[in-house]
Amino acid sequence: PDDSKKALRISSQRVDLASLGPLYDVFAPGFNDLGITGQCAPDISVAWTPQGAYRANGTVGLSNAAWTVADIPLRDIAGTLDLDATNERIKVATSDTKGMLRDAPFTMQLQSGLKDMNAGLETMTVGIFDGTGTLKTEAKVEGEMPFTTDVKLNGMKVEQIIPALLPDTPSNITGTVTELGANVSGTLNENLMPSIAGKANMHLSDGLIKDVNIGKEVLGKVNEIPFVSGALLSVVPESMIAFVEKKHTVLESVTGTFDVAQETLTTEDLKIESDFFRLEGKGTIGFDTDLDLDAVIYFAKNVSDG
């Protein structure tokens, strides 16, 4: 390093990522907990200044890479990383990465960096679940790996998201995430899901709750109304019968803002627009889709007229 003309080139067609544990210990100890496998093909040049500082740049090709975060497996990851590093920081960028999140294919572009054990995703754009997501994150790559993140999702399909992220959770909800934004923090370890806390907002459209007709269930439970024999369901006018005979609940639009903590969303302004009622609610929605809501349901005018 005291020779200003000294330089080093690191080049290989194949390096086993699982063998790099000693490097992770030095540069990113938390990576050893991810179970990283696969191969990389580095082509990196390193030069030193007379003062002993270094500058490294080049590319690292990834193939068959895989790791797991909070029981969510990422696999078949391939692409080329552009690397620029000094004694003080490491910068990584990629524009052609692709892989699988469980069984869901994705593409990714990112700009990221690591400095003083603080990792940052300056920008990351992911194409997955038939939509796109943008992510900005700062994380500590040691200990419990605490992180904060801003995320925005557009166009993703709920029926693809839940099986990929929560495979053991049955879900009967479909629809398109027209917009979802969140500012949350947590830890990138086995406690990822319970650790997530922050704020979120959502707009879901063109959806269904399968195998239950909420409007019909409500009308069938409301009885003891003066001048009405039986439940309100019995006096639904003929023009609206088709709506109560549906097997599913239509979700034309679902909106709300949420506080996120302990795998639960808490809301004061949930609104569901269906094809013959509007629901306004407050309460909790679990990550496992369990609901505990106080709600007011406004039925279409023709139902009230009947």
Side-chain angles (χ1 to χ4, degrees), residues 20-33:
L20 300 181
L23 283 180
Y24 303 148
D25 286 336
V26 174
F27 294 104
F31 283 16
N32 273 322
D33 298 327

Side-chain angles (χ1 to χ4, degrees), residues 238-258:
E238 189 68 27
S239 63
M240 304 299 290
I241 288 296
F243 291 98
V244 299
E245 288 183 343
K246 291 182 179 181
K247 294 181 179 180
H248 313 301
T249 300
V250 174
L251 303 176
E252 293 180 349
S253 175
V254 181
T255 59
T257 58
F258 306 90

Side-chain angles (χ1 to χ4, degrees), residues 180-201:
L180 186 147
N183 183 290
V184 298
S185 61
T187 54
L188 289 170
N189 55 22
E190 67 276 6
N191 295 316
L192 171 62
M193 300 307 282
S195 74
I196 294 175
K199 301 282 187 180
N201 63 277

Side-chain angles (χ1 to χ4, degrees), residues 214-216 218-219 276-278 297-301 303-304:
I214 291 176
K216 178 180 179 180
V218 169
L219 292 173
F276 78 116
F277 71 85
R278 182 178 82 254
I297 296 182
Y298 303 87
F299 283 92
K301 185 176 184 298
V303 176
S304 299

Side-chain angles (χ1 to χ4, degrees), residues 251-273:
L251 303 176
E252 293 180 349
S253 175
V254 181
T255 59
T257 58
F258 306 90
D259 291 318
V260 186
Q262 297 298 311
E263 298 186 78
T264 300
L265 307 173
T266 302
T267 181
E268 295 291 327
D269 61 359
L270 179 68
K271 182 181 289 187
I272 297 175
E273 296 280 356

